[in-house]
Amino acid sequence: MKSILLFMPYGSVGGMERLAYTFYNKYKELGYKVYGVKIIGLNSDIINFGEDEIVLSSKDFVAYSKIDRIKFYLSIPFKLRQIIIDEKIDYTISFGDMANCFSALTKTKENKIASIHSLKSVEITKLTLMNKLFIKSYKTIYKRFNKVVCISKGIKQDLINNFSYAFDNLKVIYNPHDIQYIVNKSKEEIEDIAECKIFNKETIIFLGRFSIQKSPWHLINAFYKSKNENRNLVFIGDGNEEVSDFLKKQVKDLNLDDQVFFLGRKSNPYKYLKRAKILALSSLYEGTPNVIAEAIALGIPIISSNCTEGIVEMMSHKKKIFKEEIIFTESGLITPNLLKKKLEIPRESDFIEEELVFSKAIDLVFDSYSSYRIDIEKHKGHLMNKFELEKVCYDYLNL
């Protein structure tokens, strides 16, 4: 029996972690022995691998002193190497820069597959020591990978153009999705009565981490500008406390307390997504956000900022109509990029033009809602082909 090691930094409910869990279930179904290895494993983790889980530390990075954190970093390749040897691993698939770099340093001979999940020229804005090491690695230790998966064409081109990526091992493979699993989970009931009532109104949903990258304050401003008492805005997720505190203050300042709801992290976000009318993304940059494919699978129209070329790749099959700054696709609308000069929480409360366009997109979808639902249902099969789970799983291992 061939064995696969899935290596990731955390077990939270972000896109990379959900992807690793999707791989875990499918590879087991296909007859592989699969291990989920987390650098940090916490009691609050949503993504868990049961008896197949291995945790390198049960203490978060922030709980380490600077010296102890460096010592822990240095120990990771050796710990990972020992696991690979002990469990006779045939394939290691790592998720994101940190896991990729540690995987490259083990000096083991299994088939090594790395994956890049975001537009690095936008994500890496501060040249911290860690970021400098990541950039250096694109020209050095990434040669040790049999394959480096980029989850969109834009990400691959970004590495080549902006980081002089030095090796011929880049491969574009879109994130896979277990469509039947998503559909089945979406059918579960929302047990909390108060949460159920929220969805009695036309509801826009945000699903993801609270982070500067996701810039959810732009979504709140756009929602405010399209203000309609029959609409609600729901946030599923958690993350950066500074971002969370800013959002709650923003909602209070705009008098939106009775229309904007923060429901926290959910182990099954699909039952909430299914009951929403629109999925909204206001990210400053992305790779190919998993939640877009999940919304398409459930027939939920999407409004997204044009945060990467990968958005258009995911949301369109053939239809790309440009009209008054908005891109119309089979699965929804794409509005202008919201990224300004700095990746930071805004210091001023002024509205920007791009938020007004996003607001207009919200009104456009609600004004012709049935036609948007028909469009996405009609083209769902073509849109989802590139995310077919079993094909993607084999594409990763096909070396």
Side-chain angles (χ1 to χ4, degrees), residues 85-103:
I85 293 171
D86 290 346
E87 305 301 338
K88 299 180 174 60
I89 298 298
D90 296 293
Y91 300 91
T92 295
I93 303 175
S94 52
F95 299 85
D97 283 318
M98 180 179 289
N100 292 342
C101 287
F102 288 132
S103 176

Side-chain angles (χ1 to χ4, degrees), residues 125-185:
T125 56
K126 295 181 180 179
L127 288 179
T128 62
L129 176 60
M130 189 68 76
N131 282 339
K132 288 179 181 178
L133 292 173
F134 291 158
I135 292 170
K136 183 72 173 177
S137 69
Y138 300 145
K139 300 177 183 179
T140 54
I141 58 175
Y142 268 68
K143 69 182 177 182
R144 300 178 184 178
F145 290 107
N146 301 87
K147 180 183 295 183
V148 177
V149 174
C150 300
I151 62 170
S152 76
K153 296 174 186 175
I155 289 175
K156 176 182 176 179
Q157 210 56 49
D158 181 58
L159 286 173
I160 295 169
N161 293 345
N162 296 313
F163 296 94
S164 301
Y165 187 86
F167 312 109
D168 188 26
N169 56 2
L170 295 179
K171 173 74 173 177
V172 176
I173 305 176
Y174 294 100
N175 281 345
H177 295 274
D178 188 337
I179 306 307
Q180 194 56 53
Y181 173 81
I182 294 169
V183 171
N184 290 342
K185 295 296 285 184

Side-chain angles (χ1 to χ4, degrees), residues 293-358:
E294 292 161 356
I296 294 172
L298 297 178
I300 308 300
I302 301 154
I303 301 173
S304 174
S305 59
N306 197 7
C307 45
T308 174
E309 291 179 20
I311 295 292
V312 178
E313 292 175 45
M314 295 184 78
M315 288 180 60
S316 63
H317 171 51
K318 293 181 178 179
K319 174 183 173 182
K320 290 188 283 290
I321 300 171
F322 297 80
K323 188 177 179 181
E324 295 181 1
E325 298 186 89
I326 297 175
I327 304 172
F328 291 72
T329 74
E330 295 93 339
S331 57
L333 306 183
I334 303 172
T335 67
N337 195 323
L338 292 157
L339 179 62
K340 298 300 181 183
K341 293 182 178 180
K342 293 183 179 180
L343 289 172
E344 62 182 8
I345 296 173
R347 298 177 184 178
E348 300 175 354
S349 58
D350 295 340
F351 292 87
I352 63 173
E353 182 62 32
E354 291 80 1
E355 292 169 346
L356 302 181
V357 178
F358 200 110

